[in-house]
Amino acid sequence: MDISIIVPIGGIVALLFATYLFFNVKKQSQGNEKMRNLSNAIREGAMAFLKSEYKVLFVFVIVVTTLLFIASSIPGSEMDQGLAIAFIIGAIFSAVSGNIGMRVATMANSRTAEGTKKNLSKGLSIAFSSGAVMGMCVVGLGILGVLIIYIIFNDPSILFGFGFGASSIALFARVGGGIYTKSADVGADLVGKLEAGIPEDDPRNPAVIADQVGDNVGDVAGMGADLFESYVDSIIATMVLATIAAAGSSITGFTPDEFSKNAIYFPLIIASMGIFASIIGTMIVVFGKGKNVYGALRNSLFVATGLTAVLGAILTYYVIGRFEPFYAMLGGLIAGIVIGLSTEYYTSEKRKPVKLIAESSRTGPATVIIQGLMTGMMSTIVPIIAVVIAMIFAHYFAGFYGVAISAVGMLSILGVSLATDCYGPVADNAQGISEMAGMGSEIRERTEQLDAVGNTTAAMGKGFAIGSAAITSLALIFTYIVTAEKIMGAGKTLDLSLSDPYLISGIFIGAMLPFVFTALTMGAVGRAAYAMVEEVRYQFKEFGLLKSDKNKPDYARCVKISTNQALKEMILPSLLAVISPVVIGLILGPEGLGGLLVGSIASGFLLAVFLANSGGAWDNAKKYIESGNLGGKGSDSHKATIIGDTVGDPFKDTAGPSLNILIKLMSIVSLVFLPLIIAFN
Amino acid sequence: MDISIIVPIGGIVALLFATYLFFNVKKQSQGNEKMRNLSNAIREGAMAFLKSEYKVLFVFVIVVTTLLFIASSIPGSEMDQGLAIAFIIGAIFSAVSGNIGMRVATMANSRTAEGTKKNLSKGLSIAFSSGAVMGMCVVGLGILGVLIIYIIFNDPSILFGFGFGASSIALFARVGGGIYTKSADVGADLVGKLEAGIPEDDPRNPAVIADQVGDNVGDVAGMGADLFESYVDSIIATMVLATIAAAGSSITGFTPDEFSKNAIYFPLIIASMGIFASIIGTMIVVFGKGKNVYGALRNSLFVATGLTAVLGAILTYYVIGRFEPFYAMLGGLIAGIVIGLSTEYYTSEKRKPVKLIAESSRTGPATVIIQGLMTGMMSTIVPIIAVVIAMIFAHYFAGFYGVAISAVGMLSILGVSLATDCYGPVADNAQGISEMAGMGSEIRERTEQLDAVGNTTAAMGKGFAIGSAAITSLALIFTYIVTAEKIMGAGKTLDLSLSDPYLISGIFIGAMLPFVFTALTMGAVGRAAYAMVEEVRYQFKEFGLLKSDKNKPDYARCVKISTNQALKEMILPSLLAVISPVVIGLILGPEGLGGLLVGSIASGFLLAVFLANSGGAWDNAKKYIESGNLGGKGSDSHKATIIGDTVGDPFKDTAGPSLNILIKLMSIVSLVFLPLIIAFN
């Protein structure tokens, strides 16, 4: 029997396990009526966002599909019409996994809060199970989607369409979701906390539900779609590189043909193996009874990583006949861990960088800002070096193919690592519900404990998402080079040399785009938040919300404002991301486009790390002071760090994560339209 | 007679004109005793800084010279021992022009203030004359230095040593000077304005002289050395590219040999012609009688630019026999103007971006910060596109040689444009002296008027400095490629392809270095300013400065603190700049080093524009409010913009300008050590 049968089995098992966890979460008690109502309001808000998003998305998918059909009908463009079909399927698969993830996350919040009544590990189990549903859906649908398209078309380059579909959803979820979550958060805080002086998560604040919805929209749907994209892109890149066998031929004793047959299925096999490792890792938390929340999450990741490493070595030798690709994979896994740890170092309130930011508050907000920016800039060193070493290492052992495999290795345990990410917003919501429903201090303490661990894992998860986006993009660049050479054939040659001014121009413009994209997304948050501020002020005044408890806020209106603003504001940055590579490709040719991709990945990676870590460090500097240091809450130092945190919010939750999408999307758009660009040059 | 005789004539005329202007400034009245004392204190402080700097510099030069001798003695390194001699001469020439510039600038401040007593144009004439001394010394010594080295060694690649020497001084002047000026400024303001509540430039503030010294150290010595470096580097790059004639052979009907003879002297001829154009431009201001300060400065630049364009066309045809290099040169000139105008747009208080920042102060300092960062990021578009178009345009007409010539074109009117830059700090000092000496409101208004125009031209000057650094660095990259190919010879080949993971690694690491460099320089300002704050607090308390006018502050101690801190803090970033290219070159080879240079230039250029324009915009948003908008001085909006300005200070005056040096220095270090790097790979 062929080992590749493990691929559909892995995908199906992931979905079955997700189904099991889903019903396991569903059968838990929702708590009392107040809790049910709050949870329902959040779910309705989340679904309202998704519904509105789908309307825009539907138009977007229709337009792009039409364009893909037209582009593939242009004589000489050599684009395959299958790309359009793969695009639609990619979009649907990503959207479905996001939808399921949102449903279970918004279902699990009140159940988590209720579960903590029994004990902490019960709450942890529910919250983590809901995250694992998302994780398993992403890897299951990802692997099955790639497999189906490959079986139908028997041409890996059609898979670029699938990746493009996944990228489009990620764009909507990350950019739109990022704008949503921060406009709601900032709007709720500015009027509620600062102007009206009521606490966070106070049910009288009309934006409070939008804020809770935002956590799910940004951190569940956004993170899930982002990593779905990285996951399938890394697999696709590996498969294409294996097909154009020259790229990987250096690593084997086979002939190129023999090699490519085995090597094409290899990333899917590794991914499938990772699913089983992730399931075992997940079980450690779901069925665990311990009280150490952070320890349980960490152990689940360690076990999954260890299993992947051991099984990966065996499978590599079995499938490829040599160990070299395994070394590449191991490099990716280690780089992922190193980047996660580096993120933790720069953003943890227990470490020196955050303490230095907190201490700089003695001299006011300006020094807090400067210190935070410096921290973010310094924090780029380790991730860049880690990715560079992983790339050189992987390339040394297995060429371009190895670089793609190292991305697959890094992402192979996504089933469990995404569960850890999506657990965060569920715990955060549970904490909000326990606050709003007045569940008493003991329960609140427990949900706070869950939430605090969620914040730590969220920082590491962000680092991991950025690192995997960078190495996936590098794999896509090499795929771009190999694909371009293949399309051009023997007649033309692709000279990607630095002595070409078009290529250097591409690098310059590519390096500029993340700066512009960041400015656009941060500006979007500002405008959306302003609309929310006006609405909250209006409701406070007109509905007399602070005068009597009988006056109820209209949560839905705030949800609607966040939704509409987010969808409106994401148009410009999205167009920039999709159109730039095509336009630059047509003007500067495939060489200039190659430069554009390299420039945008280098600069986008740096900015993403800088923004995420500055933002995370400011957030925790504020928390460090809130926990009683340097004068504690209400002191001048506290106020200074609140300003830092407000600057950091769009950094870490909108602009930074959106850059992950930008760099991958531009690469995949380039690959999709490459035949057209080459034909017209 | 050979046209190249214009080169030494141009250089000597520049120095003669500088001498004339120097004595013309010197013979003006210094004003009353109080003014003389203040001016003397500033000059003594400035000279004290230079003296301390020279001590460190002396050690640095000795060490580097020794290293150059050792490196060129290593068997097989093929480095020429002449590099060390050229290095010393480059360092001395740059230091001498900076020294003269500082002397005349610190001599002109009280004379300018006294001159405005007569009328505005008298004050303008004195301040501008002093700036023109610096401008003429830079271009005169620059052109003569290059000529002398070339005549002695008859090998343009020895000139890299001269460029390296100039770079080293620029590093000290820009990085050290940038740290100096902001530590003094921030230290004086934080304690004086905010804690003690005394006005800016109050003579009771012990840091007030250090602050005035800082203006000269940063904006006269720093700017001068920065542009000296760009000026000579662009000429050197052109000469080397002309020698390795293949690079330019595409543009002529000559044989490569014939071409190179003419083309080698061509940049020097253009530069010399620019000197004459600059002298005429300078005369418009120096001998002008009009009251429109801004108009006079603008006209002088326009006349010089116009003359350069017309004479450039004629000379190009005469020397090269074709017009193509002239088009390249024109592209550079226009790009310089476009970048200057773009800087003006993004940082002027009359334009929308600054007004938006000011308006964002309604919602507090956090939104001021976000809006300023966004402005800086958006402002990268025009400069990047301008440089890219200039490069493609120049390359289209005249290959790599054309790119270098476009940099020469951009910098050809440096004699007058640097005068405009250096006029700023003199006007600023004059304003400070009129304030401190209590010269009455009429004089103060006039000096304020001079100062205000200086702020506008300073912003444009910064944009010009960044743009010229970027295009000079591009010329150096192409020089690097051509030189590497020449050194490798027929045996090896240099494959600078994006498909090389070492090259991509170089790009990634290169793109990271400006982030790290920025973090280091901003941190240095913070630490140096903190030392100054402590000293000012100490003097206020111990000397009882605020209790009685009889108690005099010890200005010299503050000057010493700024000096020592600046020189101490510049060591780490400087080492990073000098050592990185050598280390990366030895590890990743000449391909990786090529990537490093491209990555660092792209990212450094973007960050430099971003930092300079964010900082400039915040500064002017504050001034916009201070002039009575949005509640004016003392309002919450004002306080919010003060925070923005404080963040922006190290952005625009330390980190941003230092990046100009970083990208050029790394390129020139790479060129100097290239034979060694190739030999060891």
Side-chain angles (χ1 to χ4, degrees):
Chain A
M1 199 182 68
D2 195 326
I3 180 82
S4 57
I5 191 72
I6 188 188
V7 180
I9 292 176
I12 290 164
V13 166
L15 296 182
L16 290 176
F17 188 57
T19 312
Y20 162 75
L21 291 173
F22 182 88
F23 286 106
N24 203 24
V25 170
K26 200 176 179 187
K27 75 174 185 216
Q28 308 296 326
S29 160
Q30 281 200 69
N32 61 33
E33 199 196 330
K34 213 167 179 180
M35 289 163 71
R36 276 203 304 278
N37 287 342
L38 287 164
S39 178
N40 286 340
I42 296 171
R43 183 159 55 251
E44 278 162 23
M47 291 304 138
F49 173 74
L50 285 183
K51 209 175 147 190
S52 305
E53 193 191 59
Y54 290 157
K55 282 185 199 157
V56 187
L57 201 50
F58 186 74
V59 176
F60 180 85
V61 169
I62 297 290
V63 170
V64 172
T65 307
T66 312
L67 286 177
L68 284 174
F69 267 118
I70 293 172
S72 45
S73 310
I74 297 175
S77 89
E78 286 190 48
M79 279 173 65
D80 196 293
Q81 297 206 331
L83 285 167
I85 294 163
F87 172 77
I88 296 174
I89 296 178
I92 291 174
F93 272 47
S94 175
V96 166
S97 63
N99 191 296
I100 294 171
M102 287 279 274
R103 277 179 198 276
V104 68
T106 54
M107 191 173 83
N109 45 27
S110 59
R111 290 173 168 88
T112 300
E114 180 69 16
T116 52
K117 267 193 187 165
K118 200 178 159 202
N119 57 46
L120 191 63
S121 66
K122 179 84 185 167
L124 171 63
S125 171
I126 297 171
F128 193 81
S129 293
S130 74
V133 172
M134 178 69 163
M136 288 297 150
C137 283
V138 163
V139 294
L141 288 171
I143 200 172
L144 290 174
V146 170
L147 185 68
I148 290 167
I149 302 284
Y150 181 63
I151 289 173
I152 295 175
F153 293 98
N154 198 23
D155 174 4
S157 67
I158 300 292
L159 287 168
F160 295 143
F162 188 80
F164 187 19
S167 283
S168 304
I169 303 299
L171 185 71
F172 276 72
R174 261 298 195 210
V175 180
I179 297 168
Y180 186 109
T181 182
K182 283 304 113 177
S183 66
D185 185 14
V186 172
D189 284 357
L190 273 184
V191 189
K193 276 206 278 192
L194 294 181
E195 289 181 15
I198 59 175
E200 188 153 356
D201 293 336
D202 190 301
R204 287 171 295 177
N205 191 330
V208 74
I209 294 293
D211 188 11
Q212 301 285 336
V213 171
D215 290 337
N216 293 291
V217 166
D219 287 347
V220 177
M223 183 66 105
D226 186 349
L227 287 166
F228 184 92
E229 184 191 2
S230 290
Y231 190 72
V232 300
D233 282 357
S234 66
I235 294 174
I236 294 168
T238 318
M239 292 172 78
V240 172
L241 287 169
T243 314
I244 308 171
S249 62
S250 63
I251 60 157
T252 62
F254 306 91
T255 65
D257 269 359
E258 281 172 336
F259 167 73
S260 74
K261 264 186 216 154
N262 298 276
I264 287 175
Y265 273 100
F266 180 61
L268 288 166
I269 292 167
I270 291 291
S272 179
M273 178 268 296
I275 289 176
F276 292 105
S278 295
I279 288 175
I280 292 168
T282 304
M283 286 177 173
I284 292 174
V285 184
V286 172
F287 302 118
K289 303 277 174 215
K291 288 198 164 180
N292 183 346
V293 178
Y294 182 68
L297 296 182
R298 197 191 48 205
N299 287 344
S300 74
L301 283 172
F302 279 177
V303 167
T305 306
L307 273 174
T308 302
V310 174
L311 294 174
I314 298 168
L315 276 173
T316 308
Y317 196 78
Y318 184 80
V319 177
I320 305 281
R322 283 169 164 256
F323 277 119
E324 279 82 349
F326 167 69
Y327 302 144
M329 183 190 137
L330 200 63
L333 261 180
I334 294 172
I337 293 169
V338 168
I339 294 172
L341 292 176
S342 156
T343 311
E344 202 264 335
Y345 172 77
Y346 279 103
T347 60
S348 162
E349 57 188 272
K350 290 185 187 120
R351 307 288 191 156
K352 200 175 150 195
V354 167
K355 284 187 184 165
L356 280 177
I357 295 176
E359 270 159 32
S360 70
S361 66
R362 292 180 204 269
T363 36
T367 40
V368 169
I369 299 293
I370 292 176
Q371 192 70 33
L373 294 172
M374 279 167 50
T375 303
M377 288 176 171
M378 289 304 282
S379 77
T380 59
I381 299 177
V382 174
I384 284 272
I385 302 288
V387 164
V388 161
I389 291 178
M391 174 177 63
I392 290 179
F393 188 79
H395 187 271
Y396 176 78
F397 284 111
F400 291 168
Y401 184 76
V403 177
I405 276 293
S406 78
V408 173
M410 198 189 243
L411 287 153
S412 57
I413 54 159
L414 186 61
V416 61
S417 69
L418 189 55
T420 316
D421 293 333
C422 296
Y423 148 89
V426 173
D428 185 278
N429 269 213
Q431 153 71 4
I433 287 174
S434 76
E435 188 87 36
M436 289 188 270
M439 287 178 75
S441 65
E442 198 191 352
I443 304 300
R444 225 172 37 230
E445 250 167 51
R446 286 184 193 161
T447 54
E448 261 171 24
Q449 221 176 317
L450 289 179
D451 189 22
V453 174
N455 285 330
T456 307
T457 57
M460 292 178 68
K462 266 173 197 147
F464 180 79
I466 298 169
S468 66
I471 200 143
T472 300
S473 302
L474 281 172
L476 290 173
I477 284 192
F478 293 134
T479 312
Y480 172 88
I481 294 172
V482 172
T483 306
E485 279 170 352
K486 186 189 143 207
I487 295 172
M488 289 179 138
K492 300 179 191 172
T493 51
L494 183 74
D495 182 19
L496 288 170
S497 164
L498 287 187
S499 60
D500 178 1
Y502 287 113
L503 186 136
I504 295 215
S505 298
I507 292 179
F508 269 56
I509 296 171
M512 175 194 80
L513 289 178
F515 283 78
V516 175
F517 193 76
T518 300
L520 291 176
T521 49
M522 294 213 302
V525 170
R527 287 184 294 273
Y530 193 73
M532 182 61 88
V533 163
E534 300 226 305
E535 172 66 21
V536 176
R537 280 184 187 154
Y538 172 84
Q539 286 203 25
F540 271 143
K541 197 177 154 202
E542 294 297 316
F543 297 4
L545 297 178
L546 300 175
K547 286 171 194 151
S548 158
D549 271 0
K550 280 184 192 145
N551 298 326
K552 295 290 171 207
D554 187 346
Y555 297 134
R557 277 176 58 142
C558 288
V559 168
K560 201 170 175 186
I561 283 176
S562 271
T563 302
N564 293 344
Q565 287 287 328
L567 294 174
K568 191 180 89 185
E569 291 285 354
M570 63 166 289
I571 293 172
L572 188 58
S574 301
L575 285 179
L576 181 77
V578 177
I579 292 174
S580 300
V582 180
V583 170
I584 295 295
L586 291 173
I587 296 175
L588 297 180
E591 289 84 7
L593 181 53
L596 185 89
L597 296 182
V598 172
S600 67
I601 292 168
S603 145
F605 181 27
L606 281 159
L607 271 183
V609 173
F610 159 60
L611 293 167
N613 289 351
S614 290
W618 276 318
D619 189 1
N620 283 326
K622 186 191 70 173
K623 286 185 181 142
Y624 176 76
I625 289 181
E626 281 173 352
S627 61
N629 299 294
L630 293 156
K633 276 193 184 181
S635 63
D636 279 349
S637 282
H638 186 222
K639 280 174 197 152
T641 52
I642 287 177
I643 291 169
D645 184 38
T646 312
V647 173
D649 265 343
F651 270 44
K652 72 178 197 302
D653 292 323
T654 312
S658 296
L659 288 171
N660 298 351
I661 312 300
L662 178 77
I663 59 179
K664 285 179 292 182
L665 181 61
M666 297 215 309
S667 303
I668 206 90
V669 167
S670 304
L671 280 163
V672 167
F673 289 96
L674 189 53
L676 187 76
I677 287 162
I678 289 175
F680 279 80
N681 253 277
Chain B
M1 197 183 67
D2 195 324
I3 180 80
S4 56
I5 191 72
I6 188 189
V7 180
I9 292 177
I12 290 163
V13 167
L15 295 182
L16 290 175
F17 188 58
T19 312
Y20 164 75
L21 291 174
F22 182 89
F23 285 105
N24 203 24
V25 169
K26 200 176 180 186
K27 76 174 185 216
Q28 309 295 328
S29 161
Q30 282 199 69
N32 60 33
E33 197 197 332
K34 212 168 179 181
M35 288 164 71
R36 276 203 304 279
N37 288 343
L38 287 164
S39 178
N40 286 341
I42 296 172
R43 184 159 53 254
E44 280 162 22
M47 291 304 139
F49 172 74
L50 286 183
K51 208 174 148 191
S52 305
E53 193 191 59
Y54 291 158
K55 281 184 199 158
V56 186
L57 202 49
F58 186 74
V59 176
F60 180 84
V61 169
I62 297 291
V63 171
V64 172
T65 307
T66 313
L67 286 177
L68 284 173
F69 267 119
I70 293 172
S72 44
S73 309
I74 296 175
S77 90
E78 288 189 48
M79 279 174 65
D80 196 293
Q81 297 206 333
L83 285 166
I85 295 161
F87 172 78
I88 296 173
I89 296 178
I92 291 173
F93 272 47
S94 175
V96 166
S97 63
N99 191 295
I100 295 170
M102 287 280 273
R103 275 179 200 278
V104 68
T106 53
M107 190 174 84
N109 45 25
S110 60
R111 290 173 169 88
T112 298
E114 180 69 17
T116 52
K117 268 192 185 165
K118 200 179 161 202
N119 57 45
L120 191 63
S121 66
K122 180 83 185 166
L124 172 63
S125 170
I126 297 170
F128 193 81
S129 293
S130 74
V133 172
M134 178 68 165
M136 289 298 152
C137 284
V138 163
V139 293
L141 288 172
I143 200 171
L144 290 174
V146 171
L147 185 68
I148 291 167
I149 302 286
Y150 182 63
I151 289 172
I152 295 176
F153 293 98
N154 198 25
D155 173 3
S157 66
I158 300 292
L159 287 167
F160 295 144
F162 187 81
F164 187 20
S167 282
S168 303
I169 303 299
L171 185 71
F172 276 72
R174 260 300 194 210
V175 181
I179 297 168
Y180 185 108
T181 182
K182 284 303 112 178
S183 66
D185 185 12
V186 172
D189 284 358
L190 273 184
V191 189
K193 277 207 277 192
L194 293 182
E195 290 182 14
I198 59 176
E200 187 153 357
D201 293 338
D202 190 300
R204 288 171 295 177
N205 190 330
V208 74
I209 294 293
D211 187 11
Q212 302 284 336
V213 171
D215 290 336
N216 294 291
V217 166
D219 287 347
V220 176
M223 183 68 101
D226 186 349
L227 286 165
F228 184 92
E229 182 192 4
S230 291
Y231 189 73
V232 300
D233 282 356
S234 67
I235 295 174
I236 294 168
T238 319
M239 293 172 76
V240 172
L241 287 168
T243 314
I244 308 172
S249 61
S250 63
I251 59 157
T252 62
F254 306 92
T255 65
D257 268 0
E258 282 171 336
F259 167 75
S260 75
K261 262 185 217 153
N262 296 276
I264 286 175
Y265 273 99
F266 180 61
L268 287 165
I269 292 166
I270 291 291
S272 179
M273 177 268 297
I275 288 176
F276 292 105
S278 295
I279 288 175
I280 292 167
T282 304
M283 286 177 172
I284 292 175
V285 184
V286 172
F287 302 117
K289 301 277 176 216
K291 289 198 166 179
N292 184 346
V293 179
Y294 183 68
L297 296 183
R298 198 191 46 206
N299 288 344
S300 73
L301 283 173
F302 280 176
V303 166
T305 307
L307 273 174
T308 301
V310 174
L311 294 174
I314 299 168
L315 276 175
T316 307
Y317 195 79
Y318 184 81
V319 177
I320 305 280
R322 284 168 165 256
F323 277 120
E324 279 82 349
F326 167 69
Y327 303 143
M329 183 191 138
L330 200 64
L333 261 180
I334 294 171
I337 293 169
V338 168
I339 294 173
L341 292 176
S342 157
T343 310
E344 201 264 335
Y345 172 78
Y346 280 103
T347 60
S348 162
E349 58 189 90
K350 290 184 188 120
R351 307 289 189 153
K352 201 176 148 194
V354 167
K355 284 186 184 165
L356 279 178
I357 295 176
E359 270 159 31
S360 70
S361 67
R362 292 180 205 269
T363 35
T367 41
V368 169
I369 299 294
I370 291 176
Q371 192 70 35
L373 294 172
M374 278 166 51
T375 303
M377 286 176 173
M378 288 305 282
S379 76
T380 58
I381 298 177
V382 175
I384 282 274
I385 301 289
V387 164
V388 160
I389 291 178
M391 173 177 63
I392 290 178
F393 188 78
H395 186 270
Y396 175 79
F397 285 111
F400 292 167
Y401 183 77
V403 177
I405 276 293
S406 78
V408 173
M410 197 188 245
L411 287 154
S412 59
I413 54 161
L414 186 62
V416 61
S417 69
L418 189 55
T420 317
D421 293 333
C422 295
Y423 147 89
V426 174
D428 185 278
N429 269 212
Q431 154 70 4
I433 287 174
S434 76
E435 188 87 36
M436 288 187 270
M439 288 177 73
S441 65
E442 199 190 351
I443 305 300
R444 224 172 37 229
E445 250 168 49
R446 287 184 193 161
T447 54
E448 261 170 22
Q449 221 175 316
L450 290 178
D451 189 23
V453 174
N455 285 331
T456 307
T457 57
M460 292 179 66
K462 267 175 198 148
F464 179 79
I466 297 168
S468 66
I471 200 144
T472 300
S473 302
L474 281 172
L476 290 174
I477 283 192
F478 293 135
T479 312
Y480 173 87
I481 295 172
V482 173
T483 306
E485 279 169 352
K486 186 187 146 210
I487 295 173
M488 288 179 139
K492 299 180 193 173
T493 51
L494 183 72
D495 182 20
L496 287 170
S497 164
L498 287 188
S499 60
D500 179 359
Y502 286 115
L503 186 136
I504 296 218
S505 298
I507 292 179
F508 269 56
I509 296 171
M512 175 195 80
L513 289 178
F515 282 77
V516 175
F517 193 75
T518 301
L520 291 176
T521 50
M522 295 214 302
V525 170
R527 285 184 295 271
Y530 193 73
M532 182 62 85
V533 163
E534 300 226 304
E535 172 66 22
V536 176
R537 278 182 188 157
Y538 172 84
Q539 286 203 23
F540 271 142
K541 197 176 155 204
E542 294 296 317
F543 296 4
L545 299 177
L546 300 175
K547 285 170 197 154
S548 159
D549 272 0
K550 280 185 190 145
N551 297 328
K552 296 289 172 207
D554 187 344
Y555 298 133
R557 275 177 57 143
C558 288
V559 168
K560 201 169 176 188
I561 283 175
S562 272
T563 303
N564 293 345
Q565 287 288 329
L567 294 173
K568 190 181 90 186
E569 291 285 353
M570 63 166 289
I571 293 172
L572 188 58
S574 300
L575 286 179
L576 181 76
V578 178
I579 293 174
S580 300
V582 180
V583 171
I584 295 294
L586 291 174
I587 296 175
L588 297 180
E591 291 83 8
L593 181 54
L596 185 89
L597 296 181
V598 172
S600 68
I601 292 167
S603 146
F605 182 26
L606 281 159
L607 271 183
V609 173
F610 158 61
L611 293 167
N613 290 351
S614 290
W618 276 318
D619 190 1
N620 282 327
K622 185 193 69 174
K623 285 184 181 142
Y624 177 76
I625 289 181
E626 282 173 353
S627 61
N629 299 294
L630 294 156
K633 275 193 185 180
S635 63
D636 278 348
S637 282
H638 187 222
K639 282 175 197 151
T641 52
I642 287 178
I643 291 169
D645 185 38
T646 312
V647 173
D649 265 344
F651 270 45
K652 71 178 197 300
D653 293 324
T654 312
S658 295
L659 288 171
N660 298 350
I661 312 302
L662 178 76
I663 60 180
K664 286 179 291 185
L665 180 61
M666 295 215 310
S667 304
I668 207 89
V669 168
S670 304
L671 281 163
V672 167
F673 289 97
L674 189 53
L676 188 74
I677 287 163
I678 289 175
F680 279 81
N681 255 278

